[in-house]
Amino acid sequence: MGDVESFGGFESGQGVDAASFEKFKERIKAAAAQIKALKKGEQKQRKKEEKLIKILLKFVKTSKKQDIMVLIARLLERNIPAVFILSIVVLGNEEFFDDTEGAKVLFEGEKLRDESEGKTLAFFDRDRVLPLKVKIKIDAWMKNVLSQALEHPHRLLKTVYDEDEILILPLLQLVSFVLRDYLEKNDQEPEYERLKEFSDFFLNGVMKEVRQKLDKTKELREDS
């Protein structure tokens, strides 16, 4: 697991101390200030975003994961939608969100599905086969991440890339670390290169779908 932890310099077992959590809350306040700057016409969206940030705060305090906490703060500072971040961290943490007040705001009443359309996770299945239950859960999680991404196409494309039009490292790390924790929880031994490769492939695929949605919307407007 040493390679995985070197992906950003975090240690998966590192807890969240009081001082670190206070710093995290300060960074969240800065991110929340951006939300308050939204136009009055977007008041409903602003309230939803504020609720989601409160859920993130509670999740971080409960999970006690230093690496996840830091990454969430960095992504919120970039104004990446809180619902998209939550759709990533929900994997393996469904019990927390089921018990969290306001969790309906995240999936609008829908729980993470256990159904699968038979997709294979080739990046993990090359040398050994994952348990069916794990594959189904990851597949449902991937679909949900995509679904939330499509809800905020313009904002995502403006915030998830660096100046070289490459996906920002904290986002890749968050997906990798959430997958790492979920696989370890299910007695799997994730490999650093597989996690990194899969996270990059998956997120680029999501953003490709987001662009296609915007292109279709543009075409419809031009034809109308």
Side-chain angles (χ1 to χ4, degrees):
M1 285 301 299
D3 285 334
V4 173
E5 273 94 43
S6 69
F7 183 27
F10 298 116
E11 295 180 5
S12 60
Q14 193 175 12
V16 178
D17 58 41
S20 295
F21 186 68
E22 286 304 315
K23 289 181 180 179
F24 174 78
K25 287 198 293 185
E26 288 301 316
R27 297 176 79 169
I28 295 301
K29 286 180 182 179
Q34 297 178 354
I35 297 170
K36 291 182 179 180
L38 292 173
K39 297 177 182 178
K40 290 183 179 180
E42 299 173 326
Q43 189 173 11
K44 184 177 179 181
Q45 177 62 33
R46 184 183 69 186
K47 288 182 178 180
K48 179 178 178 180
E49 192 88 353
E50 288 174 343
K51 287 182 180 178
L52 292 171
I53 286 180
K54 287 180 181 178
I55 294 173
L56 277 171
L57 276 167
K58 187 173 181 180
F59 170 73
V60 167
K61 192 172 184 179
T62 303
S63 69
K64 299 180 180 179
K65 289 280 187 177
Q66 181 86 12
D67 49 6
I68 300 297
M69 180 191 73
V70 172
L71 293 172
I72 289 173
R74 289 176 181 171
L75 296 177
L76 285 174
E77 284 179 334
R78 288 188 62 91
N79 199 30
I80 290 177
V83 69
F84 182 67
I85 299 171
L86 277 166
S87 71
I88 295 172
V89 301
V90 71
L91 180 66
N93 299 295
E94 291 84 2
E95 297 83 1
F96 168 82
F97 292 103
D98 285 344
D99 297 336
T100 300
E101 184 179 354
K104 288 184 179 180
V105 179
L106 176 55
F107 300 114
E108 297 183 351
E110 294 184 14
K111 293 183 179 181
L112 192 64
R113 296 179 303 165
D114 285 330
E115 295 85 6
S116 173
E117 293 177 1
K119 290 184 179 179
T120 57
L121 301 174
F123 285 97
F124 298 107
D125 278 346
R126 289 173 185 168
D127 301 322
R128 55 187 172 80
V129 178
L130 287 175
L132 181 60
K133 180 181 178 180
V134 173
K135 291 175 64 176
I136 288 174
K137 184 66 72 173
I138 293 177
D139 188 54
W141 168 74
M142 290 165 60
K143 293 171 188 173
N144 192 58
V145 171
L146 173 60
S147 175
Q148 297 302 332
L150 292 173
E151 292 297 315
H152 304 274
H154 292 283
R155 189 169 158 196
L156 267 181
L157 294 179
K158 288 180 180 178
T159 55
V160 299
Y161 293 103
D162 61 20
E163 59 275 8
D164 298 317
E165 292 300 311
I166 297 173
L167 286 169
I168 57 173
L169 184 58
L171 183 57
L172 292 170
Q173 289 173 322
L174 185 64
V175 172
S176 296
F177 293 170
V178 168
L179 274 169
R180 171 203 65 196
D181 293 343
Y182 176 70
L183 290 170
E184 287 181 345
K185 189 183 292 185
N186 286 274
D187 302 317
Q188 302 299 306
E189 296 183 3
E191 299 175 16
Y192 162 70
E193 289 300 329
R194 293 283 170 83
L195 289 174
K196 183 179 178 182
E197 184 181 2
F198 174 77
S199 299
D200 185 60
F201 174 82
F202 169 55
L203 287 171
N204 274 295
V206 167
M207 297 311 152
K208 181 179 179 180
E209 293 279 349
V210 170
R211 284 198 182 90
Q212 288 177 348
K213 178 181 179 179
L214 288 177
D215 289 342
K216 288 180 181 178
T217 303
K218 184 180 179 181
E219 288 175 5
L220 288 173
R221 287 176 180 174
E222 290 176 349
D223 292 340
S224 62

